[in-house]
Every structure is written in C-alpha cells, then in structure tokens.
C-alpha cells in the first residue's frame, strides 16, 4: 500500500480532513489552546502569536498532504467541459439492476473508478492522466499519421501511445467484444469479412450501396458513454471508459516555438484506436435492427460493413417477378369487367418505385439514428452490369471474387519479377503479396498458385 493510500485511510478514519488535521496538530504538539490576550505582556503576546503561526503553517502542510492523498484516490476532475462528481452513485440513467446487466454480458464488475484503475493496472493518477480532456493541449496520447484514401486524398489516423493502447486493448477484450452485435454487421468481427458481406448478396437483381458520412466523428463521447451505460456501468465508470476510447479531432500548430494540439470538435472515436471499430458495431445495433427489418419487409436483404450499407433484391424462385409491363388488353364491359377486376391480381410494384421507397425508409432511419447518408456515394447496380460489394464482384454463379483487373495486375507484376524487370511505380513485392492474400481470401486455389509463383521469383514465404 502506498504512502498516499495509507494517508487517505487515516483521513477517512478521522471522519473528515478537519478532524484529521486537528488530531495531527494535537499529536505533534502544534495545537495551541486559545486564550484571551488582554492581560498578556508584550513578550507573552509575541510568544502566543508565534505559536499560532507555527500551528497555521503545520495545518496548511497537513491539508496539502491530505488533498494530495485525496487526488491519489479520487478522479476529482477530468478536464474542460466534461461532467464529473466523485460523490455520484445512482441516477436516473442507470439501467435497472446494472450489476445483472453486466453479468448477462459476461462483463467485469466495475463499480468504481478505483476498480477500473485496478483492472487496467493503473493508479488513479494514471487513469485521470489518460482520461483528461483539454481543448488546447501541449501533448496528447496519440500519434498522428496519414494513409491514402481509395477515392483520393489522405485519411488522418490517430494511433494511441503504448500506455493508452494497452488500456484500450483491455476494454476491447473484456467489455466491447462481449456486447451484442446485429447479424447484419460484417466488419471487424471474427468469422466475418468483406467476403461474407459480399456473399450475402449473391444472385442479386439490384444492389443498392450507401455510405454513412463522417462515420467515426459522428460517434461522439455522449454516444459512446451511453453504450457503456446501457451495458450496465454507472455514471463514473462509463464516463472514464468513454474518455479512454475517444479523442477530439485535432490540428497540430506551432505557436511561439511550442507545438500545440487544437481540438477541432467534440471527442469522438479516433480512427486508429483498437476499440473504435468494435464500438461502432455495438452502437449501430439498433440502426442495423431497424434497417434489416425495414429491408425484409420491402423484400430486400441488408448488410453493413463499417460505414458501407448494402441492400440487394433477388427474384423469388417460387414467384418470379415480371419486370416488364404486360401488354394492354381490350377493356371488358359490364359484369365481365367486374369479375375481371375481382380475379386479376394487381400488377407488381415497379422496380423504380420499390427502390425509391427503400431509399426513403433508409434515409429516415439513418437520420433518426443520428447518422447522415453521404449524398455523393449512393450507387445502384443491376444484374446486367457489374455488381461489386465491398470491392468484390458478385455477378454470376462464381461467388464473390476480386475484380479481373486486379488479378491481371498481380499477374503482370509477377511477370515483371520473373523477367528481372522493375515493378511499376508505386508497386512493391510486399504490396503484391498483400494483393495475393486478398485474392486467396475468396479464390483459394488461384491465390495459392500466385503465391507459388511469387515464392519462385523472390523467395518470399507465403503466409499461413
């Protein structure tokens, strides 16, 4: 037990800081008995004043030590604009029987910041340091770098520093990965991938693809905190968990020779934290449930991979859908017309109308769940043209597979290597190996053959 913990136990035993200070003053001989000064000689008065000064100085020292011990055992404050109260216990946002909710999901019972700190292998001081928020900071717990976007430009990645990353990995493993996720989610889950996401839409007549705009920035601190509250954690623990998993998007500026990290918006899920992808799946549970239900009701299938929403429609085997309009017949008259109207089924809804109705429902649900459909990334692909889902082609009976041009690109690179020629600009042996792994995910035999060729010309070892 640390000295500060021992000291705080002494303060708690005394009942209050004031009681502790008084007891210590008395025990150390600093406590001065108050008495009238009217009858004191100048010498006695001066001595009395000096005794009071020594008592006051010792009392200040004792209070400072008690406050230091308090901060070593309490969070106290977590930064600018974030609500915190060490005395909080129950409130109206607690789920009924929160401990039972934790147990249902197999989550660790964390009923206080101290328990959370112990679970993470941190002191309270370290936990507060990792959780602290400041709009203008001289340092953050993340390292920034960029990667190229598929659509052009660069994407900022904020990778956590080792101590925070270790805490996030514990939260991911012990809490987030145990939270319920909808079956329509295919990203960042064991046994799920872009291949399973694409395979769910095999044989589609129509594929509708949409993107959620600013997906990670949309999942802000309150939403992440709400996820942990629903999981069964109370205000204080949920706040700390959410702070550990979020950070403000920041701009790095130089001012007066100092490097400053300026917050550009509220705290949200950073791209680069190990907890972020799994948290998106848990937060999107209701979004997925509502979209899957609406899609099934309208005759569509639905999956989500991160921020990519995919819907597809197939021709029912038992009742083929006639897409073309039937030729007009001569109108019947009298009783024949009435009988015909009663026995002839109404024509099926036009494909464009079905698609329009689905789009309307999707936009409404997405908005209601706090997201935004990207206005420039809605695509419709029909069976007569190329249909791609999360980068894989799904046309025909072959199942999901990489585009033909990508496979040609790999074969061309292998040919260059076999001929002793340099690879095209921007291409590397490592990148070629990665593309082969991508091919092997859905075309195992083709992937193994390409790996054998790569190993033959470079000596590279195929990954397991």
């Amino acid at each position: 037990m640390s000295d500060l913990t021992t000291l705080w136990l002494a303060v708690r035993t005394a009942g209050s800081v004031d009681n502790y200070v008084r007891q210590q003053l008395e025990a150390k001989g600093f406590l001065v008995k108050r008495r009238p000064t009217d009858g004191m000689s100048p010498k006695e008065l001066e001595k009395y004043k000096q005794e009071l000064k020594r008592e006051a100085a010792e009392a200040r020292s004792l209070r400072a030590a008690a406050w230091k011990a308090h901060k070593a055992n309490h969070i106290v404050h977590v930064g600018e604009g974030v609500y915190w109260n060490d005395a909080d216990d129950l409130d109206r946002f607690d789920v009924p029987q929160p401990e039972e909710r934790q147990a249902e999901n197999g989550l660790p019972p964390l009923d206080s910041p101290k328990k959370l700190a112990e679970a993470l292998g941190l002191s309270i001081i370290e936990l507060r340091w990792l959780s602290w928020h400041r709009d203008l900071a001289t340092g953050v717990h993340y390292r920034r770098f960029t990667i190229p976007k598929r659509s052009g430009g660069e994407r900022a990645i904020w990778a956590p520093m080792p101590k925070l990353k270790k805490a996030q990995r514990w939260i991911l493993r012990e809490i987030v990965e145990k939270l319920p996720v909808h079956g329509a989610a295919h990203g960042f889950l064991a046994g799920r991938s872009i291949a399973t996401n694409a395979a769910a839409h095999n044989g589609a007549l129509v594929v509708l693809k949409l993107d959620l705009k600013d997906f990670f920035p949309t999942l802000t601190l309150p939403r992440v905190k709400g996820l942990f509250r629903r999981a069964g954690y109370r205000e204080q623990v949920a706040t700390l968990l959410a702070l550990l998993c979020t950070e403000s998007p920041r701009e790095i500026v130089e001012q007066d020779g100092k490097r400053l990290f300026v917050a550009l918006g509220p705290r949200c899920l950073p791209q680069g934290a190990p907890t972020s992808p799994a948290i998106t799946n848990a937060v999107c549970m209701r979004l997925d449930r509502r979209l899957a239900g609406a899609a099934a009701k309208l005759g569509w299938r639905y999956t989500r991979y991160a921020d990519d929403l995919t819907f597809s429609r197939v021709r029912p085997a038992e009742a083929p859908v006639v897409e073309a309009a039937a030729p007009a017949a001569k109108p019947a008259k009298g009783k024949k017309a009435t009988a015909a109207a009663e026995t002839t089924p109404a024509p099926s809804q036009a494909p464009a109308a079905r698609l329009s109705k689905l789009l309307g429902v999707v936009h409404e649900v997405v908005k209601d769940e706090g997201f935004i459909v990207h206005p420039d990334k809605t695509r419709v692909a029909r069976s007569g043209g190329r249909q791609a889902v999360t980068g894989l082609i799904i046309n025909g009976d072959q199942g999901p597979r990489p585009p033909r041009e990508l496979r040609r690109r790999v074969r061309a690179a292998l040919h260059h290597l076999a001929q002793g020629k340099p690879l095209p600009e921007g291409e590397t042996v490592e990148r070629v190996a990665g593309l082969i792994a991508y091919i092997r995910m859905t075309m195992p035999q083709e992937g193994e053959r390409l790996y054998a060729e790569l190993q033959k010309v470079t000596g590279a070892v195929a990954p397991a």
Side-chain angles (χ1 to χ4, degrees):
M1 187 180 295
S2 69
D3 293 341
L4 290 175
T5 301
T6 303
L7 174 55
W8 181 247
L9 287 175
V11 173
R12 290 186 61 184
T13 301
S16 69
V17 173
D18 288 341
N19 288 345
Y20 169 77
V21 170
R22 183 177 181 82
Q23 290 174 8
Q24 290 298 307
L25 290 174
E26 188 173 7
K28 294 179 179 182
F30 283 94
L31 188 63
V32 180
K33 184 179 180 181
R34 270 52 176 176
R35 55 188 187 275
T37 59
D38 295 345
M40 290 183 182
S41 67
K43 187 176 181 180
E44 290 174 330
L45 182 60
E46 181 61 27
K47 181 181 178 182
Y48 182 59
K49 287 181 178 179
Q50 291 302 320
E51 290 174 347
L52 292 174
K53 285 182 179 179
R54 285 195 297 272
E55 179 193 292
E58 181 64 16
R60 284 194 297 271
S61 176
L62 289 169
R63 288 184 187 280
W67 175 242
K68 189 175 181 181
H70 179 87
K71 290 204 301 181
N73 290 274
H74 297 81
I75 295 296
V76 181
H77 188 47
V78 285
E80 303 165 357
V82 183
Y83 172 77
W84 183 266
N85 186 346
D86 277 310
D88 268 358
D89 185 17
L90 304 178
D91 66 30
R92 63 190 180 90
F93 295 107
D94 285 327
V95 297
Q97 291 82 45
E99 289 76 16
E100 292 182 15
R101 179 70 65 87
Q102 294 172 34
E104 285 174 6
N105 291 322
L107 306 182
L110 307 172
D111 58 3
S112 68
K114 184 179 179 182
K115 290 288 187 183
L116 175 60
E118 290 173 353
L120 294 173
L122 302 170
S123 67
I124 287 289
I125 295 172
E126 290 173 316
L127 179 57
R128 180 171 56 242
W129 174 62
L130 290 175
S131 306
W132 193 271
H133 173 75
R134 184 174 283 120
D135 288 336
L136 184 62
T138 55
V140 292
H141 299 289
Y142 290 84
R143 178 176 59 88
R144 183 185 185 277
F145 61 92
T146 60
I147 58 174
K149 287 184 178 180
R150 187 173 58 182
S151 58
E154 293 184 331
R155 185 188 308 280
I157 302 296
W158 291 83
M161 297 295 189
K163 189 174 281 289
L164 177 59
K165 188 174 185 177
K166 182 180 178 182
Q168 290 177 342
R169 287 195 182 281
W170 186 91
I171 295 170
L172 173 66
R173 182 179 64 254
E174 300 297 332
I175 299 177
V176 180
E177 288 185 339
K178 296 179 180 179
L179 298 177
V181 173
H182 195 274
H186 285 260
F188 324 114
L189 292 167
R192 298 285 180 101
S193 65
I194 59 171
T196 61
N197 185 61
H201 301 280
N202 274 344
L205 284 174
V206 183
V207 174
L208 169 64
K209 299 186 294 181
L210 307 96
D211 271 21
L212 298 179
K213 186 179 181 183
D214 299 328
F215 186 50
F216 279 67
T218 303
L219 298 173
T220 55
L221 175 68
R223 299 184 72 171
V224 177
K225 177 180 173 181
L227 173 69
F228 291 119
R229 294 301 301 266
R230 292 191 298 275
Y233 292 114
R234 300 192 189 279
E235 167 72 25
Q236 294 169 314
V237 171
T239 298
L240 292 170
L241 289 171
L243 286 168
L244 290 171
C245 295
T246 59
E247 178 56 271
S248 292
R250 294 182 181 270
E251 182 177 353
I252 304 174
V253 299
E254 297 284 340
Q255 183 177 354
D256 299 329
K258 289 185 177 180
R259 197 182 195 202
L260 300 175
F261 297 82
V262 183
L264 302 178
R267 292 180 76 98
C268 58
L269 293 180
Q271 294 195 48
T275 43
S276 293
I279 287 176
T280 64
N281 281 336
V283 171
C284 288
M285 174 74 172
R286 194 170 72 169
L287 171 73
D288 291 336
R289 185 173 66 241
R290 293 181 66 184
L291 288 179
K297 187 175 180 180
L298 296 172
W300 295 76
R301 297 173 296 192
Y302 162 72
T303 63
R304 180 181 58 81
Y305 190 96
D307 57 351
D308 293 336
L309 312 181
T310 305
F311 299 83
S312 65
R313 187 176 181 88
V314 295
R315 188 191 306 275
E318 67 279 4
V321 176
V322 179
E323 301 292 353
K330 288 185 178 182
K333 296 181 180 180
K335 293 182 179 180
K336 290 184 179 181
T338 304
E342 291 175 349
T343 57
T344 302
S348 62
Q349 192 179 19
R354 285 197 297 263
L355 183 60
S356 178
K357 186 172 183 179
L358 175 66
L359 277 169
V361 171
V362 170
H363 277 262
E364 182 179 346
V365 170
V366 167
K367 182 180 178 181
D368 193 41
E369 291 297 324
F371 296 98
I372 302 171
V373 173
H374 200 299
D376 302 326
K377 293 187 177 181
T378 297
R379 300 286 185 271
V380 178
R382 303 187 184 278
S383 57
R386 171 191 259 190
Q387 294 175 320
V389 175
T390 44
L392 298 173
I393 307 304
I394 63 169
N395 296 77
D397 301 324
Q398 304 173 51
R401 58 202 180 280
R404 188 174 299 167
E405 357 9 317
L406 185 143
R407 287 176 276 156
R408 287 174 177 168
R409 175 177 155 194
V410 170
R411 286 195 290 268
L414 292 175
H415 180 73
H416 275 69
L417 290 171
Q419 297 294 319
K421 299 178 181 178
L423 291 171
E425 185 178 354
E427 203 72 274
T428 63
V429 172
E430 292 76 14
R431 183 171 173 79
V432 172
L435 293 174
I436 293 175
Y438 177 66
I439 294 171
R440 190 175 69 168
M441 181 172 56
T442 53
M443 305 179 70
Q445 293 182 346
E446 177 75 1
E448 293 296 342
R449 186 183 65 77
L450 293 172
Y451 263 130
E453 290 186 33
L454 179 66
Q455 188 174 14
K456 183 178 178 180
V457 296
T458 65
V461 179

